[in-house]
mmCIF file of all heavy atoms in Angstrom:
data_model
loop_
_atom_site.group_PDB
_atom_site.id
_atom_site.type_symbol
_atom_site.label_atom_id
_atom_site.label_comp_id
_atom_site.label_asym_id
_atom_site.label_seq_id
_atom_site.Cartn_x
_atom_site.Cartn_y
_atom_site.Cartn_z
ATOM 1 N N GLU X 27 15.269 -20.064 -9.139
ATOM 2 C CA GLU X 27 13.947 -20.653 -9.168
ATOM 3 C C GLU X 27 12.955 -19.704 -9.854
ATOM 4 O O GLU X 27 13.163 -18.493 -9.900
ATOM 5 C CB GLU X 27 13.475 -20.971 -7.750
ATOM 6 C CG GLU X 27 14.288 -22.041 -7.063
ATOM 7 C CD GLU X 27 13.704 -22.434 -5.719
ATOM 8 O OE1 GLU X 27 12.763 -21.772 -5.262
ATOM 9 O OE2 GLU X 27 14.195 -23.413 -5.130
ATOM 10 N N ARG X 28 11.899 -20.297 -10.351
ATOM 11 C CA ARG X 28 10.858 -19.486 -10.969
ATOM 12 C C ARG X 28 10.166 -18.661 -9.880
ATOM 13 O O ARG X 28 9.890 -19.179 -8.792
ATOM 14 C CB ARG X 28 9.875 -20.389 -11.705
ATOM 15 C CG ARG X 28 8.945 -19.671 -12.624
ATOM 16 C CD ARG X 28 8.535 -20.508 -13.825
ATOM 17 N NE ARG X 28 8.057 -21.824 -13.521
ATOM 18 C CZ ARG X 28 7.706 -22.710 -14.452
ATOM 19 N NH1 ARG X 28 7.772 -22.387 -15.731
ATOM 20 N NH2 ARG X 28 7.286 -23.907 -14.111
ATOM 21 N N GLU X 29 9.870 -17.406 -10.198
ATOM 22 C CA GLU X 29 9.250 -16.529 -9.205
ATOM 23 C C GLU X 29 8.038 -15.816 -9.780
ATOM 24 O O GLU X 29 7.957 -15.531 -10.980
ATOM 25 C CB GLU X 29 10.262 -15.489 -8.702
ATOM 26 C CG GLU X 29 10.749 -14.523 -9.762
ATOM 27 C CD GLU X 29 11.631 -13.416 -9.191
ATOM 28 O OE1 GLU X 29 11.829 -13.351 -7.959
ATOM 29 O OE2 GLU X 29 12.115 -12.592 -9.990
ATOM 30 N N PHE X 30 7.112 -15.517 -8.896
ATOM 31 C CA PHE X 30 5.898 -14.800 -9.266
ATOM 32 C C PHE X 30 6.231 -13.351 -9.602
ATOM 33 O O PHE X 30 7.026 -12.712 -8.913
ATOM 34 C CB PHE X 30 4.914 -14.859 -8.101
ATOM 35 C CG PHE X 30 3.686 -14.017 -8.278
ATOM 36 C CD1 PHE X 30 2.609 -14.492 -8.985
ATOM 37 C CD2 PHE X 30 3.624 -12.746 -7.726
ATOM 38 C CE1 PHE X 30 1.475 -13.723 -9.147
ATOM 39 C CE2 PHE X 30 2.498 -11.966 -7.871
ATOM 40 C CZ PHE X 30 1.414 -12.449 -8.589
ATOM 41 N N VAL X 31 5.614 -12.839 -10.644
ATOM 42 C CA VAL X 31 5.795 -11.440 -11.044
ATOM 43 C C VAL X 31 4.502 -10.649 -10.857
ATOM 44 O O VAL X 31 4.487 -9.620 -10.194
ATOM 45 C CB VAL X 31 6.257 -11.346 -12.512
ATOM 46 C CG1 VAL X 31 6.368 -9.885 -12.945
ATOM 47 C CG2 VAL X 31 7.576 -12.063 -12.715
ATOM 48 N N SER X 32 3.433 -11.157 -11.437
ATOM 49 C CA SER X 32 2.171 -10.433 -11.381
ATOM 50 C C SER X 32 1.032 -11.372 -11.738
ATOM 51 O O SER X 32 1.245 -12.364 -12.435
ATOM 52 C CB SER X 32 2.190 -9.250 -12.359
ATOM 53 O OG SER X 32 0.973 -8.529 -12.318
ATOM 54 N N GLY X 33 -0.161 -11.059 -11.265
ATOM 55 C CA GLY X 33 -1.320 -11.863 -11.591
ATOM 56 C C GLY X 33 -2.599 -11.044 -11.543
ATOM 57 O O GLY X 33 -2.618 -9.967 -10.942
ATOM 58 N N MET X 34 -3.621 -11.566 -12.191
ATOM 59 C CA MET X 34 -4.914 -10.897 -12.133
ATOM 60 C C MET X 34 -6.040 -11.893 -12.290
ATOM 61 O O MET X 34 -5.883 -12.922 -12.946
ATOM 62 C CB MET X 34 -5.021 -9.833 -13.234
ATOM 63 C CG MET X 34 -5.167 -10.353 -14.637
ATOM 64 S SD MET X 34 -5.277 -9.034 -15.881
ATOM 65 C CE MET X 34 -6.725 -8.156 -15.325
ATOM 66 N N ARG X 35 -7.142 -11.593 -11.675
ATOM 67 C CA ARG X 35 -8.352 -12.351 -11.946
ATOM 68 C C ARG X 35 -8.911 -11.855 -13.260
ATOM 69 O O ARG X 35 -8.893 -10.660 -13.525
ATOM 70 C CB ARG X 35 -9.393 -12.157 -10.842
ATOM 71 C CG ARG X 35 -9.030 -12.815 -9.555
ATOM 72 C CD ARG X 35 -10.222 -13.032 -8.644
ATOM 73 N NE ARG X 35 -9.789 -13.543 -7.361
ATOM 74 C CZ ARG X 35 -9.510 -14.816 -7.128
ATOM 75 N NH1 ARG X 35 -9.645 -15.698 -8.104
ATOM 76 N NH2 ARG X 35 -9.119 -15.200 -5.932
ATOM 77 N N TRP X 36 -9.385 -12.787 -14.083
ATOM 78 C CA TRP X 36 -9.911 -12.392 -15.382
ATOM 79 C C TRP X 36 -11.049 -11.401 -15.226
ATOM 80 O O TRP X 36 -11.253 -10.551 -16.072
ATOM 81 C CB TRP X 36 -10.381 -13.621 -16.157
ATOM 82 C CG TRP X 36 -10.595 -13.327 -17.598
ATOM 83 C CD1 TRP X 36 -11.782 -13.110 -18.229
ATOM 84 C CD2 TRP X 36 -9.582 -13.186 -18.589
ATOM 85 N NE1 TRP X 36 -11.571 -12.846 -19.559
ATOM 86 C CE2 TRP X 36 -10.231 -12.895 -19.806
ATOM 87 C CE3 TRP X 36 -8.189 -13.276 -18.560
ATOM 88 C CZ2 TRP X 36 -9.531 -12.694 -20.987
ATOM 89 C CZ3 TRP X 36 -7.495 -13.079 -19.738
ATOM 90 C CH2 TRP X 36 -8.176 -12.792 -20.930
ATOM 91 N N SER X 37 -11.781 -11.501 -14.137
ATOM 92 C CA SER X 37 -12.866 -10.559 -13.868
ATOM 93 C C SER X 37 -12.343 -9.162 -13.544
ATOM 94 O O SER X 37 -13.117 -8.219 -13.416
ATOM 95 C CB SER X 37 -13.704 -11.059 -12.694
ATOM 96 O OG SER X 37 -12.910 -11.094 -11.519
ATOM 97 N N ARG X 38 -11.056 -9.056 -13.381
ATOM 98 C CA ARG X 38 -10.382 -7.792 -13.046
ATOM 99 C C ARG X 38 -10.725 -7.293 -11.661
ATOM 100 O O ARG X 38 -10.498 -6.124 -11.339
ATOM 101 C CB ARG X 38 -10.649 -6.696 -14.091
ATOM 102 C CG ARG X 38 -9.937 -6.938 -15.390
ATOM 103 C CD ARG X 38 -9.946 -5.725 -16.273
ATOM 104 N NE ARG X 38 -11.230 -5.518 -16.912
ATOM 105 C CZ ARG X 38 -11.405 -4.761 -17.979
ATOM 106 N NH1 ARG X 38 -10.395 -4.128 -18.514
ATOM 107 N NH2 ARG X 38 -12.591 -4.617 -18.494
ATOM 108 N N SER X 39 -11.205 -8.180 -10.843
ATOM 109 C CA SER X 39 -11.524 -7.768 -9.481
ATOM 110 C C SER X 39 -10.268 -7.602 -8.629
ATOM 111 O O SER X 39 -10.290 -6.886 -7.635
ATOM 112 C CB SER X 39 -12.460 -8.791 -8.837
ATOM 113 O OG SER X 39 -11.849 -10.068 -8.817
ATOM 114 N N HIS X 40 -9.185 -8.255 -9.003
ATOM 115 C CA HIS X 40 -7.954 -8.138 -8.237
ATOM 116 C C HIS X 40 -6.740 -8.236 -9.158
ATOM 117 O O HIS X 40 -6.763 -8.965 -10.152
ATOM 118 C CB HIS X 40 -7.846 -9.272 -7.201
ATOM 119 C CG HIS X 40 -8.778 -9.121 -6.059
ATOM 120 N ND1 HIS X 40 -10.036 -9.674 -6.066
ATOM 121 C CD2 HIS X 40 -8.644 -8.491 -4.872
ATOM 122 C CE1 HIS X 40 -10.637 -9.382 -4.935
ATOM 123 N NE2 HIS X 40 -9.819 -8.676 -4.182
ATOM 124 N N THR X 41 -5.707 -7.511 -8.779
ATOM 125 C CA THR X 41 -4.404 -7.687 -9.414
ATOM 126 C C THR X 41 -3.368 -7.803 -8.301
ATOM 127 O O THR X 41 -3.555 -7.291 -7.197
ATOM 128 C CB THR X 41 -4.032 -6.509 -10.335
ATOM 129 O OG1 THR X 41 -4.064 -5.294 -9.571
ATOM 130 C CG2 THR X 41 -5.005 -6.387 -11.501
ATOM 131 N N TRP X 42 -2.283 -8.483 -8.603
ATOM 132 C CA TRP X 42 -1.222 -8.682 -7.633
ATOM 133 C C TRP X 42 0.122 -8.458 -8.310
ATOM 134 O O TRP X 42 0.290 -8.771 -9.502
ATOM 135 C CB TRP X 42 -1.260 -10.115 -7.085
ATOM 136 C CG TRP X 42 -2.513 -10.469 -6.377
ATOM 137 C CD1 TRP X 42 -2.799 -10.288 -5.055
ATOM 138 C CD2 TRP X 42 -3.673 -11.101 -6.938
ATOM 139 N NE1 TRP X 42 -4.054 -10.763 -4.774
ATOM 140 C CE2 TRP X 42 -4.616 -11.271 -5.901
ATOM 141 C CE3 TRP X 42 -3.998 -11.549 -8.217
ATOM 142 C CZ2 TRP X 42 -5.857 -11.848 -6.095
ATOM 143 C CZ3 TRP X 42 -5.247 -12.122 -8.425
ATOM 144 C CH2 TRP X 42 -6.156 -12.270 -7.372
ATOM 145 N N TYR X 43 1.074 -7.966 -7.545
ATOM 146 C CA TYR X 43 2.419 -7.727 -8.052
ATOM 147 C C TYR X 43 3.449 -8.144 -7.022
ATOM 148 O O TYR X 43 3.237 -8.001 -5.813
ATOM 149 C CB TYR X 43 2.626 -6.244 -8.365
ATOM 150 C CG TYR X 43 1.752 -5.713 -9.475
ATOM 151 C CD1 TYR X 43 0.535 -5.112 -9.198
ATOM 152 C CD2 TYR X 43 2.157 -5.828 -10.804
ATOM 153 C CE1 TYR X 43 -0.260 -4.631 -10.224
ATOM 154 C CE2 TYR X 43 1.363 -5.348 -11.835
ATOM 155 C CZ TYR X 43 0.148 -4.759 -11.531
ATOM 156 O OH TYR X 43 -0.642 -4.289 -12.555
ATOM 157 N N ALA X 44 4.571 -8.625 -7.518
ATOM 158 C CA ALA X 44 5.725 -8.809 -6.644
ATOM 159 C C ALA X 44 6.226 -7.429 -6.236
ATOM 160 O O ALA X 44 6.146 -6.474 -7.017
ATOM 161 C CB ALA X 44 6.815 -9.578 -7.377
ATOM 162 N N ASP X 45 6.747 -7.330 -5.032
ATOM 163 C CA ASP X 45 7.224 -6.036 -4.546
ATOM 164 C C ASP X 45 8.279 -5.445 -5.478
ATOM 165 O O ASP X 45 8.355 -4.228 -5.664
ATOM 166 C CB ASP X 45 7.809 -6.195 -3.147
ATOM 167 C CG ASP X 45 6.736 -6.422 -2.099
ATOM 168 O OD1 ASP X 45 5.546 -6.158 -2.383
ATOM 169 O OD2 ASP X 45 7.084 -6.881 -0.991
ATOM 170 N N SER X 46 9.075 -6.303 -6.084
ATOM 171 C CA SER X 46 10.183 -5.831 -6.915
ATOM 172 C C SER X 46 9.728 -5.161 -8.205
ATOM 173 O O SER X 46 10.506 -4.441 -8.839
ATOM 174 C CB SER X 46 11.119 -6.995 -7.241
ATOM 175 O OG SER X 46 10.409 -7.994 -7.958
ATOM 176 N N VAL X 47 8.480 -5.380 -8.605
ATOM 177 C CA VAL X 47 8.020 -4.817 -9.874
ATOM 178 C C VAL X 47 6.897 -3.804 -9.696
ATOM 179 O O VAL X 47 6.474 -3.170 -10.673
ATOM 180 C CB VAL X 47 7.561 -5.919 -10.861
ATOM 181 C CG1 VAL X 47 8.648 -6.966 -11.032
ATOM 182 C CG2 VAL X 47 6.249 -6.556 -10.400
ATOM 183 N N LYS X 48 6.440 -3.657 -8.481
ATOM 184 C CA LYS X 48 5.351 -2.730 -8.216
ATOM 185 C C LYS X 48 5.755 -1.342 -8.700
ATOM 186 O O LYS X 48 6.874 -0.904 -8.516
ATOM 187 C CB LYS X 48 5.054 -2.720 -6.713
ATOM 188 C CG LYS X 48 3.601 -2.736 -6.359
ATOM 189 C CD LYS X 48 3.412 -2.849 -4.858
ATOM 190 C CE LYS X 48 3.249 -4.286 -4.434
ATOM 191 N NZ LYS X 48 2.914 -4.423 -3.007
ATOM 192 N N ASP X 49 4.836 -0.631 -9.284
ATOM 193 C CA ASP X 49 5.039 0.734 -9.807
ATOM 194 C C ASP X 49 5.827 0.766 -11.109
ATOM 195 O O ASP X 49 6.015 1.839 -11.677
ATOM 196 C CB ASP X 49 5.749 1.639 -8.783
ATOM 197 C CG ASP X 49 4.967 1.771 -7.492
ATOM 198 O OD1 ASP X 49 3.724 1.805 -7.568
ATOM 199 O OD2 ASP X 49 5.589 1.835 -6.431
ATOM 200 N N ARG X 50 6.304 -0.383 -11.580
ATOM 201 C CA ARG X 50 6.986 -0.410 -12.872
ATOM 202 C C ARG X 50 6.269 -1.304 -13.878
ATOM 203 O O ARG X 50 6.308 -1.048 -15.083
ATOM 204 C CB ARG X 50 8.440 -0.899 -12.714
ATOM 205 C CG ARG X 50 9.322 0.024 -11.908
ATOM 206 C CD ARG X 50 10.782 -0.442 -11.944
ATOM 207 N NE ARG X 50 10.910 -1.778 -11.382
ATOM 208 C CZ ARG X 50 11.342 -2.829 -12.060
ATOM 209 N NH1 ARG X 50 11.684 -2.712 -13.337
ATOM 210 N NH2 ARG X 50 11.448 -3.997 -11.469
ATOM 211 N N PHE X 51 5.647 -2.376 -13.410
ATOM 212 C CA PHE X 51 4.965 -3.322 -14.284
ATOM 213 C C PHE X 51 3.451 -3.160 -14.110
ATOM 214 O O PHE X 51 2.967 -2.877 -13.004
ATOM 215 C CB PHE X 51 5.338 -4.758 -13.934
ATOM 216 C CG PHE X 51 6.744 -5.159 -14.298
ATOM 217 C CD1 PHE X 51 7.719 -4.234 -14.629
ATOM 218 C CD2 PHE X 51 7.113 -6.504 -14.292
ATOM 219 C CE1 PHE X 51 9.011 -4.602 -14.955
ATOM 220 C CE2 PHE X 51 8.400 -6.903 -14.610
ATOM 221 C CZ PHE X 51 9.347 -5.946 -14.939
ATOM 222 N N THR X 52 2.727 -3.393 -15.187
ATOM 223 C CA THR X 52 1.274 -3.338 -15.139
ATOM 224 C C THR X 52 0.697 -4.529 -15.890
ATOM 225 O O THR X 52 1.073 -4.779 -17.046
ATOM 226 C CB THR X 52 0.750 -2.041 -15.780
ATOM 227 O OG1 THR X 52 1.319 -0.906 -15.116
ATOM 228 C CG2 THR X 52 -0.773 -1.970 -15.653
ATOM 229 N N ILE X 53 -0.204 -5.234 -15.239
ATOM 230 C CA ILE X 53 -0.886 -6.356 -15.876
ATOM 231 C C ILE X 53 -2.269 -5.891 -16.309
ATOM 232 O O ILE X 53 -2.933 -5.123 -15.605
ATOM 233 C CB ILE X 53 -0.966 -7.570 -14.924
ATOM 234 C CG1 ILE X 53 -1.410 -8.826 -15.678
ATOM 235 C CG2 ILE X 53 -1.850 -7.287 -13.720
ATOM 236 C CD1 ILE X 53 -1.250 -10.107 -14.867
ATOM 237 N N SER X 54 -2.679 -6.351 -17.471
ATOM 238 C CA SER X 54 -3.988 -5.975 -17.995
ATOM 239 C C SER X 54 -4.467 -7.076 -18.925
ATOM 240 O O SER X 54 -3.724 -8.017 -19.221
ATOM 241 C CB SER X 54 -3.910 -4.647 -18.747
ATOM 242 O OG SER X 54 -3.045 -4.751 -19.869
ATOM 243 N N ARG X 55 -5.703 -6.940 -19.389
ATOM 244 C CA ARG X 55 -6.202 -7.963 -20.310
ATOM 245 C C ARG X 55 -7.187 -7.358 -21.299
ATOM 246 O O ARG X 55 -7.795 -6.339 -21.049
ATOM 247 C CB ARG X 55 -6.835 -9.118 -19.535
ATOM 248 C CG ARG X 55 -8.001 -8.741 -18.664
ATOM 249 C CD ARG X 55 -9.289 -9.204 -19.259
ATOM 250 N NE ARG X 55 -10.377 -9.144 -18.294
ATOM 251 C CZ ARG X 55 -11.628 -8.857 -18.609
ATOM 252 N NH1 ARG X 55 -11.957 -8.587 -19.866
ATOM 253 N NH2 ARG X 55 -12.578 -8.840 -17.690
ATOM 254 N N ASP X 56 -7.278 -8.018 -22.433
ATOM 255 C CA ASP X 56 -8.230 -7.681 -23.478
ATOM 256 C C ASP X 56 -9.154 -8.881 -23.627
ATOM 257 O O ASP X 56 -8.735 -9.918 -24.152
ATOM 258 C CB ASP X 56 -7.484 -7.376 -24.784
ATOM 259 C CG ASP X 56 -8.413 -6.934 -25.895
ATOM 260 O OD1 ASP X 56 -9.591 -7.331 -25.889
ATOM 261 O OD2 ASP X 56 -7.945 -6.190 -26.773
ATOM 262 N N SER X 57 -10.377 -8.753 -23.165
ATOM 263 C CA SER X 57 -11.278 -9.901 -23.177
ATOM 264 C C SER X 57 -11.681 -10.299 -24.590
ATOM 265 O O SER X 57 -11.933 -11.468 -24.866
ATOM 266 C CB SER X 57 -12.519 -9.604 -22.343
ATOM 267 O OG SER X 57 -13.194 -8.466 -22.844
ATOM 268 N N ASP X 58 -11.710 -9.349 -25.495
ATOM 269 C CA ASP X 58 -12.075 -9.687 -26.882
ATOM 270 C C ASP X 58 -11.024 -10.579 -27.523
ATOM 271 O O ASP X 58 -11.329 -11.400 -28.385
ATOM 272 C CB ASP X 58 -12.244 -8.415 -27.711
ATOM 273 C CG ASP X 58 -13.467 -7.620 -27.304
ATOM 274 O OD1 ASP X 58 -14.394 -8.226 -26.731
ATOM 275 O OD2 ASP X 58 -13.490 -6.409 -27.552
ATOM 276 N N LYS X 59 -9.782 -10.404 -27.112
ATOM 277 C CA LYS X 59 -8.689 -11.183 -27.678
ATOM 278 C C LYS X 59 -8.250 -12.315 -26.757
ATOM 279 O O LYS X 59 -7.320 -13.050 -27.090
ATOM 280 C CB LYS X 59 -7.492 -10.273 -27.973
ATOM 281 C CG LYS X 59 -7.772 -9.196 -28.996
ATOM 282 C CD LYS X 59 -6.534 -8.335 -29.235
ATOM 283 C CE LYS X 59 -6.824 -7.268 -30.282
ATOM 284 N NZ LYS X 59 -5.646 -6.392 -30.512
ATOM 285 N N ASN X 60 -8.878 -12.427 -25.592
ATOM 286 C CA ASN X 60 -8.463 -13.438 -24.604
ATOM 287 C C ASN X 60 -6.961 -13.368 -24.359
ATOM 288 O O ASN X 60 -6.261 -14.400 -24.331
ATOM 289 C CB ASN X 60 -8.854 -14.844 -25.067
ATOM 290 C CG ASN X 60 -10.261 -15.218 -24.637
ATOM 291 O OD1 ASN X 60 -10.956 -14.426 -23.992
ATOM 292 N ND2 ASN X 60 -10.689 -16.407 -24.989
ATOM 293 N N THR X 61 -6.483 -12.172 -24.192
ATOM 294 C CA THR X 61 -5.045 -11.950 -24.061
ATOM 295 C C THR X 61 -4.748 -11.134 -22.808
ATOM 296 O O THR X 61 -5.445 -10.163 -22.509
ATOM 297 C CB THR X 61 -4.485 -11.225 -25.296
ATOM 298 O OG1 THR X 61 -4.694 -12.048 -26.451
ATOM 299 C CG2 THR X 61 -3.001 -10.940 -25.153
ATOM 300 N N VAL X 62 -3.726 -11.556 -22.091
ATOM 301 C CA VAL X 62 -3.235 -10.835 -20.923
ATOM 302 C C VAL X 62 -1.900 -10.208 -21.286
ATOM 303 O O VAL X 62 -1.072 -10.839 -21.956
ATOM 304 C CB VAL X 62 -3.067 -11.782 -19.724
ATOM 305 C CG1 VAL X 62 -2.378 -11.063 -18.568
ATOM 306 C CG2 VAL X 62 -4.420 -12.308 -19.284
ATOM 307 N N TYR X 63 -1.709 -8.993 -20.850
ATOM 308 C CA TYR X 63 -0.485 -8.263 -21.142
ATOM 309 C C TYR X 63 0.295 -7.980 -19.864
ATOM 310 O O TYR X 63 -0.289 -7.825 -18.792
ATOM 311 C CB TYR X 63 -0.803 -6.939 -21.829
ATOM 312 C CG TYR X 63 -1.597 -7.083 -23.092
ATOM 313 C CD1 TYR X 63 -2.978 -6.876 -23.100
ATOM 314 C CD2 TYR X 63 -0.974 -7.440 -24.291
ATOM 315 C CE1 TYR X 63 -3.710 -7.012 -24.269
ATOM 316 C CE2 TYR X 63 -1.701 -7.581 -25.459
ATOM 317 C CZ TYR X 63 -3.068 -7.368 -25.444
ATOM 318 O OH TYR X 63 -3.786 -7.514 -26.594
#
């Protein structure tokens, strides 16, 4: 099944990670490019 990996509020007030990826994955965004990484 599809599973959650990571998420963030565009305002950057919160980020969330699945336990399995914590400390290895990082979510971020570039507002000028409207892109999430």
Side-chain angles (χ1 to χ4, degrees):
E27 294 186 352
R28 193 149 50 183
E29 64 174 357
F30 173 84
V31 177
S32 180
M34 72 180 301
R35 289 200 186 279
W36 195 258
S37 64
R38 288 193 284 199
S39 59
H40 288 91
T41 57
W42 299 272
Y43 296 94
D45 287 344
S46 61
V47 307
K48 223 175 267 186
D49 300 324
R50 295 187 300 118
F51 289 14
T52 303
I53 192 169
S54 62
R55 60 106 166 146
D56 183 332
S57 59
D58 291 337
K59 298 180 179 179
N60 272 0
T61 298
V62 172
Y63 303 99

